[in-house]
Amino acid sequence: MNVVSVAKRDFLDVRRAKLVWAPMVLYVLFMLLFYWGQSNSTNPDFYMILWGLAGLGGALVIPLAALVAAYLSIAGERESGSIKYQLSLPVSRTDVVLGKLLARAAVVAVALLVAFAVGDVAGRLLVPDMTVEYDVYGAFAVLTLLYALSYVAVAVGISAATSSRSRAMSGAIGFFFVFNIVWNFLPIGPVRMAEFVLTELGVSYSDALLDLIFSLSPTGAYLNGMKLVFPDSFRALQSTTTASDVFYVQGWFMLVILAGWIVVPLAVGTWQFGRTDLG
């Protein structure tokens, strides 16, 4: 039994969970709402629909879908004791973590791809006069899938590092609140705190530095990563984005940050899981 075997078994189990699919139904409803809104416009804007999905769907629905799909992937089996049976087979703890990641990421990816397909059909029916740029739509979908993967990785890492369902749930909720709501959307977030502290200390800073701080969360990196998706004329809508040429606020660097959110939580979770006595 290896990583793929673990992933196949887990995928078959989790795909039946209605709670996993519920957030994606909400994502489709948001998508339909944005298309319907543009259907009343004399000049429907395809980019506005995608930006609405990135802002509302990306900040709320995607993280919830990924966390719900993966936060119990290992902690649930540890609490029930079934993880001991799985580890009695020729499979390592690292295989378990990576297998869970593949399975939960596959479920979220399938749900998102279905949502994008529904959105395409809805666009044709609700806004027949709107021009859909499929290269932009495809780039948006790829970036959204990477963003979702980062949250799945975080959830699997939390699940691997915790020993019970309640702790895994607390960790997932805490991460969502701190690195999504507080970090990017509350006026007391790290960006405003850093701005206040640097100003009080008399230290000069650039808007690019504040933009980097905003982008250090998965959601911030996703939103600023939209520089890679939308044309220059649309970037005016991205109020979080500076015009700096510094490398750490460029679109490609947002992919590096998202990759970090995939690798680091998994590494920490795998390390903690590996050193835990399962009894």
Side-chain angles (χ1 to χ4, degrees), residues 84-167:
K84 295 179 182 179
Y85 167 75
Q86 192 167 32
L87 290 173
S88 68
L89 301 172
V91 57
S92 69
R93 298 192 186 195
T94 300
D95 290 338
V96 171
V97 174
L98 295 180
K100 298 292 186 179
L101 173 70
L102 290 178
R104 305 303 166 116
V107 170
V108 174
V110 168
L112 273 173
L113 291 173
V114 170
F116 290 133
V118 170
D120 181 43
V121 174
R124 293 173 180 273
L125 295 177
L126 294 176
V127 199
D129 296 330
M130 182 178 66
T131 300
V132 177
E133 298 183 23
Y134 284 103
D135 56 338
V136 175
Y137 197 45
F140 177 84
V142 170
L143 182 58
T144 302
L145 287 170
L146 180 62
Y147 173 54
L149 177 59
S150 70
Y151 258 98
V152 171
V154 167
V156 172
I158 290 172
S159 191
T162 51
S163 59
S164 66
R165 300 168 68 93
S166 60
R167 290 181 179 179

Side-chain angles (χ1 to χ4, degrees), residues 167-192:
R167 290 181 179 179
M169 179 181 294
S170 298
I173 293 174
F175 185 90
F176 176 79
F177 183 74
V178 172
F179 285 96
N180 192 5
I181 304 301
V182 174
W183 198 284
N184 297 116
F185 300 106
L186 291 187
I188 58 171
V191 175
R192 299 284 78 84

Side-chain angles (χ1 to χ4, degrees), residues 232-249:
D232 293 339
S233 60
F234 187 68
R235 291 181 188 174
L237 293 176
Q238 297 172 281
S239 59
T240 62
T241 301
T242 69
S244 174
D245 291 328
V246 180
F247 78 92
Y248 53 74
V249 295

